[in-house]
Amino acid sequence: MSDLRKAAILLMSLPEDQAGQLMTKLTAKQIEQVSIEIAKLGRLSGEEQEKVILEFADVNPNSLGLPGGGLDVAKGLVEKGLGSKASPIIDIVRQSIEALPFGFLKKVDPQNLLTFIIDEHPQTIALVLSHLPPAYGAEIIKGLPAERQLAVIRRVAHMGQTSPEVIHEVERGLESRMASLMQQSFEKAGGVNSVAEILNVSDRATERALLESLSQDDPELVEEIRRLMFVFDDLTKLIDKDIQTVLKNVETPQWAMALKGASPELKQRILGNMSQRAAAMLTEEMEYLGAVKLSEVEAVQQQIVDIVRRLEDAGEITVHSGDESEQLIT
């Protein structure tokens, strides 16, 4: 094991603050070299970590293994060590990593790469995947036919040392074939979001007819569309009478969680439709919750959206599409 690798493992074994302080003692060139090595590292075994730490500090670590290195880890340590002067080193580290075999593919969407290599020999695919991050490789494997998945995985497992000339030849050929793709900018069009936006500005009869017909073939798609058609912030578009109906069907703890991530306008609409005592209790409960995870807030907000859609289907409230307002008669 090289001294450079040992230094990289040692820095990764330390808390980030301590590692950053240690890096301030290194020269700019040393920081650049060790940062590139950290960015190259994958997941470490506990034995390898222990061996390095025992050699440097003669202690036995409690950890059974580290998550590993990577560009983000290297970037974080460089920023800790150099502060505002970190950018040039980070750029050098990034360029060095991109210079690794098939480094250019890190900028390519896995699905785009799949279209180029799906018909290649399994050995070629295995060679490419062996030089890509595991998560990226997993996306490629998932897109291959079952029989080719097995063939590729088997070859990855048995792959030993490969001639640099062979790697370079495969890389050059693939990069040449994908050159036009690399220069293109892609715009995502269509999708469920587009359907939701179209139906949001359609009249209610058209919306109901389309969703009812679609639900016969794909009820899950309809549910996804419905969720996007009315989001939590759209509660501000309801009239006071309908907000009060929703209030009767949602528990106070749900409101307390959901409103943690709401706009001031929506909070005011909800609290303004409650009695002073109920509004005070809700405000107190929101304050009592303290900091909460965004995912938990969004989950409860979606529960309330589902209740709104249920009330709308039952005819108890009316959800207006977009900015459309229906004329009232007396």
Side-chain angles (χ1 to χ4, degrees):
M1 188 188 306
S2 69
D3 289 342
L4 188 58
R5 182 177 176 86
K6 292 176 183 176
I9 294 174
L10 178 65
L11 285 169
M12 289 168 50
S13 303
L14 297 172
E16 190 172 294
D17 288 342
Q18 294 180 19
Q21 291 175 10
L22 184 57
M23 290 185 76
T24 63
K25 309 296 183 183
L26 304 179
T27 66
K29 186 63 177 177
Q30 289 172 330
I31 291 176
E32 175 187 325
Q33 292 174 333
V34 77
S35 298
I36 291 173
E37 190 66 26
I38 290 172
K40 289 180 181 177
L41 289 175
R43 184 175 180 84
L44 295 172
S45 67
E47 293 178 353
E48 188 174 18
Q49 179 197 2
E50 180 179 355
K51 180 179 178 182
V52 170
I53 294 180
L54 284 174
E55 183 175 339
F56 278 90
D58 195 27
V59 294
N60 189 356
N62 294 322
S63 172
L64 296 177
L66 289 173
L71 185 57
D72 289 341
V73 175
K75 179 182 176 183
L77 292 179
V78 173
E79 289 176 340
K80 284 285 184 181
L82 296 182
S84 60
K85 299 179 181 179
S87 293
I89 299 296
I90 291 172
D91 288 340
I92 293 173
V93 172
R94 183 179 289 108
Q95 291 168 11
S96 299
I97 294 304
E98 290 175 352
L100 294 174
F102 303 100
F104 72 94
L105 290 177
K106 294 180 180 179
K107 299 178 180 178
V108 178
D109 185 270
Q111 293 305 312
N112 289 332
L113 173 60
L114 184 63
T115 63
F116 279 85
I117 67 172
I118 193 169
D119 294 323
E120 292 284 350
H121 190 281
Q123 186 67 28
T124 301
I125 301 176
L127 178 63
V128 174
L129 297 192
S130 297
H131 291 86
L132 295 176
Y136 194 116
E139 287 294 316
I140 300 298
I141 289 293
K142 184 172 67 174
L144 295 173
E147 66 277 4
R148 291 180 70 79
Q149 289 179 348
L150 183 59
V152 170
I153 288 297
R154 183 180 288 116
R155 283 167 172 78
V156 172
H158 291 94
M159 186 172 291
Q161 293 184 340
T162 305
S163 165
E165 290 77 14
V166 172
I167 294 175
H168 181 65
E169 183 179 348
V170 174
E171 180 183 25
R172 185 174 54 187
L174 185 58
E175 188 170 14
S176 175
R177 289 166 52 201
M178 300 186 70
S180 60
L181 176 68
M182 298 284 290
Q183 295 170 1
Q184 294 177 18
S185 60
F186 292 87
E187 180 179 336
K188 186 175 181 180
V192 178
N193 281 316
S194 295
V195 174
E197 290 172 0
I198 292 170
L199 293 182
N200 261 337
V201 294
S202 299
D203 62 87
R204 191 66 176 130
T206 300
E207 174 199 323
R208 285 186 182 277
L210 286 172
L211 291 180
E212 286 175 4
S213 297
L214 189 57
S215 66
Q216 297 176 10
D217 299 321
D218 198 337
E220 291 183 359
L221 175 60
V222 170
E223 181 61 24
E224 188 176 357
I225 293 171
R226 287 170 63 87
R227 284 173 178 267
L228 290 172
M229 286 180 63
F230 184 92
V231 297
F232 187 70
D233 285 343
D234 289 335
L235 284 170
T236 57
K237 299 176 183 178
L238 298 182
I239 62 175
D240 288 346
K241 177 176 176 292
D242 288 342
I243 287 180
Q244 290 163 15
T245 300
V246 176
L247 284 169
K248 295 175 183 177
N249 288 271
V250 177
E251 299 294 331
T252 299
Q254 288 178 289
W255 283 119
M257 178 67 78
L259 290 178
K260 293 286 287 187
S263 65
E265 179 188 3
L266 178 53
K267 288 180 182 177
Q268 183 57 44
R269 287 296 307 280
I270 298 302
L271 293 172
N273 277 281
M274 301 175 114
S275 66
Q276 288 187 348
R277 181 171 177 274
M281 290 177 61
L282 175 55
T283 302
E284 183 179 345
E285 186 158 351
M286 289 171 60
E287 293 173 351
Y288 177 76
L289 282 176
V292 293
K293 294 181 179 178
L294 177 61
S295 59
E296 295 177 352
V297 172
E298 291 176 341
V300 178
Q301 287 180 347
Q302 188 56 57
Q303 292 173 10
I304 295 176
V305 168
D306 292 342
I307 291 172
V308 170
R309 297 300 296 197
R310 211 159 49 237
L311 292 171
E312 181 191 25
D313 287 341
E316 295 184 40
I317 64 173
T318 301
V319 175
H320 295 291
S321 300
D323 295 326
E324 176 188 350
S325 58
E326 188 174 359
Q327 182 180 4
L328 302 177
I329 60 174
T330 58

